[in-house]
Structure formats: C-alpha cells, structure tokens
Amino acid sequence: VITVTLGTIFNLILTIVLFKLLISSLTSRIKLLSENAFRLTASAPLLELKSSADELAVVEQAFLNMAAKLQAVETAKQDYLAAISHDFRTPLASIIATTSATSRGLYGSLSPQGVALCLDQGQKLDALTRTVNDLLTLERLEAGMLELDLNVHELGTILLMAEEKLDAQYSRSAHVLERLNFQNVAASLPVSCDSDKLVLAVQRLIEAAIIDSESPAHNDNNNSDNVVKVSAKAEQNNSLIVIAYETPMRRPSRKFLFDRSESRHRYEEGDERLSSLQTSLSLSQELIEKMNGEIIVLCD
C-alpha cells in the first residue's frame, strides 16, 4: 500500500511538473510569436523562433512565410519609391523647365495660344510634382523616417508662408487669392509645430477648399464668390485652425476626406475633382496628428 501510494504521488507530481514545463514552453513561444508580430508591423528585425515539430510549429512557419512575403513586398515598394524619386522627378523637373523656357520665347516666338498652352501644361506638371512629393513625404512619415523640428512659431507667420506658397501656385489665377480670407486670426498666437510641415498641410487643405468651392462649370478665367475663410483660436494653450468654405451645391460634411479607408471609394457628385488630392489630404492628416494638432475643415 505504501509503495502504491508513493508511486501515485510521484506520478502526480511528475505530471504537474511536466504540464507546467509544457505550458511554460508554449507560453514563451506564443509571446515570442506575438513580439515578432509587433516587430513586423514596426519593420523591425524579427527574433529567432525556437525549432520544434508540434502543431504550434506549423503556425510559426506560416508566420515566417507571411513575414518573408511582406518584407519582399516592402522592399519592392521602397525600390519603386526610389525609382519614382530619381527616375521620375528628375526628368519631370527638366520638362517643367523646358516648358517654362518655351513659354518665355527662349526657343522661338509662340502664338498667344501656344504660350497659354505651355503655361497650362506647366501648371499641370507642377501639380503632378507636388503629388509625387506628397507621396514620398507620406511614405517617409509612415515609415518613421521623417523627423519633425518642433518649435514655437506665430500663427500669422505660418499663414503668411502658406499664402506665399499659394500665390506662387495660383500666379495665373489672380481671382483665387482674392477669395482667401483670414478671419479672426490672432497673428501672435503661438503654435508649437514644424513650420515647414504645417505650412504644407495648411496649403494642401486650402487648395482642396479652393477646388471644392468652385463650380465644375467654372474655369480659371471665371470668378467665384465663394470665399475660403481661415480662422484660429487658442484653448488651454492648444491652437485650433478652422478652414471654412461654401460650395455651389449643398452636400454632407467633408469629414470623410480624412478617413483614408473610405476616401478612395466613396465619392458623391462633384467629388471627382478632389480625387487627385487624396494623397495630399492624407499627408495633411498625418502631419497634423504627428504634431498633436487639429485642423477642422467646414463645408456648407
């Protein structure tokens, strides 16, 4: 009886110990797998997984295969972006310079229609260049490779720089800037930000408001009474910028423009005019959130 009792107790203790060892091993491997999942999303090097031949090893191998494919896709994407940056922007800049020189008559006299066509194509090429630059900046931001130089600036200075950018962009459309109205803006309002990045975000948002507030029937030679209003205020040491404008036809809130999961497939009548700005709008959202700020765009 004593021998059987001791044997039973020993077997019970051995079972408990082996069970704990098994649970500990499985728990450590699951934690390692979870850590690698976080590292994969952060593009960090993966930890080495322990080799085994059980059912969990099938899951681990499937994860490694998926990680290898995702890393291959990421590498291909980086190569593609590098090609865009070098093989696309360089000749595009050359084409823009040639078009500008042609419009000024450096390669011979052009008719007024030819000059107007060169200037129009130059503006379209500039817009394409801005889109490519926004795409590359957005990619660097999402990859954590874009550093922000945060300092305290006056809001008036920020808006003045944005206005200068817009002035250069719409140099052939004088009526556009006549519609821009900075209301209730305290020029000395302190804003903690990266000035260049905030100017970029505000410029892109105002550009979207200008395009959206124009009737599709209007062109650059037509005037529009819809005014893009920019206001700002400070609450608890946080600055809030509001961009408001009216559109030719009433439509629901434009908030969905900042929802990247919906903006690519949800369009209403007239929204096609903003389809080319989706990258810029996404970049504006990312930059503003990165600087812990808030910009509200109101559309009536």
Side-chain angles (χ1 to χ4, degrees):
V1 173
I2 295 175
T3 301
V4 172
T5 302
L6 292 176
T8 302
I9 295 174
F10 176 77
N11 286 334
L12 182 60
I13 295 174
L14 182 61
T15 301
I16 294 175
V17 172
L18 292 177
F19 180 75
K20 286 188 174 182
L21 290 176
L22 176 62
I23 293 299
S24 176
S25 175
L26 291 176
T27 302
S28 62
R29 291 169 62 188
I30 292 175
K31 287 183 178 180
L32 188 61
L33 195 60
S34 300
E35 176 64 23
N36 276 336
F38 285 112
R39 286 175 169 265
L40 182 62
T41 57
S43 300
L46 300 181
L47 301 176
E48 184 178 357
L49 298 177
K50 299 178 181 179
S51 60
S52 181
D54 54 11
E55 290 79 1
L56 186 58
V58 178
V59 178
E60 293 173 341
Q61 187 59 45
F63 175 82
L64 291 177
N65 294 338
M66 179 190 68
K69 291 181 180 180
L70 289 177
Q71 289 175 345
V73 170
E74 181 65 23
T75 300
K77 184 178 73 171
Q78 294 299 329
D79 293 340
Y80 177 70
L81 291 174
I84 290 179
S85 180
H86 181 269
D87 300 335
F88 185 81
R89 287 199 301 178
T90 301
L92 187 59
S94 177
I95 295 174
I96 292 175
T98 303
T99 303
S100 176
T102 303
S103 66
R104 296 197 303 270
L106 296 183
Y107 301 110
S109 300
L110 291 178
S111 64
Q113 294 83 357
V115 173
L117 180 61
C118 283
L119 293 175
D120 182 64
Q121 296 302 316
Q123 283 192 331
K124 292 180 179 178
L125 290 172
D126 286 337
L128 181 59
T129 302
R130 292 197 304 275
T131 301
V132 173
N133 291 336
D134 289 349
L135 176 63
L136 296 175
T137 304
L138 181 61
E139 174 60 29
R140 288 196 297 269
L141 182 62
E142 292 181 339
M145 301 173 59
L146 185 67
E147 296 183 359
L148 299 179
D149 183 18
L150 299 180
N151 289 293
V152 177
H153 302 272
E154 292 185 348
L155 182 60
T157 303
I158 300 296
L159 295 179
L160 179 61
M161 290 190 290
E163 186 177 14
E164 291 175 351
K165 296 284 187 179
L166 290 167
D167 182 57
Q169 180 178 342
Y170 291 99
S171 57
R172 294 182 60 244
S173 305
H175 74 276
V176 172
L177 293 183
E178 292 176 356
R179 294 165 44 205
L180 189 60
N181 180 16
F182 292 159
Q183 282 193 342
N184 304 323
V185 174
S188 59
L189 185 65
V191 180
S192 178
C193 65
D194 183 319
S195 60
D196 293 336
K197 302 302 185 297
L198 182 57
V199 167
L200 173 62
V202 172
Q203 177 191 355
R204 295 294 186 262
L205 292 175
I206 293 179
E207 179 183 358
I210 290 173
I211 293 175
D212 197 34
S213 62
E214 292 181 338
S215 170
H218 287 174
N219 54 44
D220 287 344
N221 296 323
N222 294 117
N223 199 355
S224 175
D225 295 329
N226 299 325
V227 178
V228 179
K229 303 176 182 178
V230 180
S231 61
K233 61 180 179 179
E235 291 183 356
Q236 298 179 353
N237 299 325
N238 293 322
S239 299
L240 173 65
I241 300 175
V242 179
I243 299 174
Y245 62 100
E246 297 179 356
T247 56
M249 59 186 72
R250 296 188 64 85
R251 57 167 58 96
S253 170
R254 281 297 192 187
K255 184 179 180 181
F256 75 90
L257 285 174
F258 301 97
D259 188 347
R260 298 175 61 190
S261 64
E262 296 184 1
S263 60
R264 296 180 181 176
H265 59 78
R266 175 185 168 188
Y267 288 105
E268 300 172 4
E269 184 179 358
D271 290 351
E272 295 80 6
R273 296 164 56 80
L274 295 176
S275 60
S276 61
L277 293 174
Q278 294 306 310
T279 299
S280 298
L281 294 172
S282 299
L283 174 61
S284 297
Q285 180 187 13
E286 294 286 346
L287 287 174
I288 293 164
E289 291 179 351
K290 186 73 173 179
M291 290 184 282
N292 296 320
E294 184 177 10
I295 292 184
I296 296 179
V297 179
L298 301 177
C299 169
D300 185 1

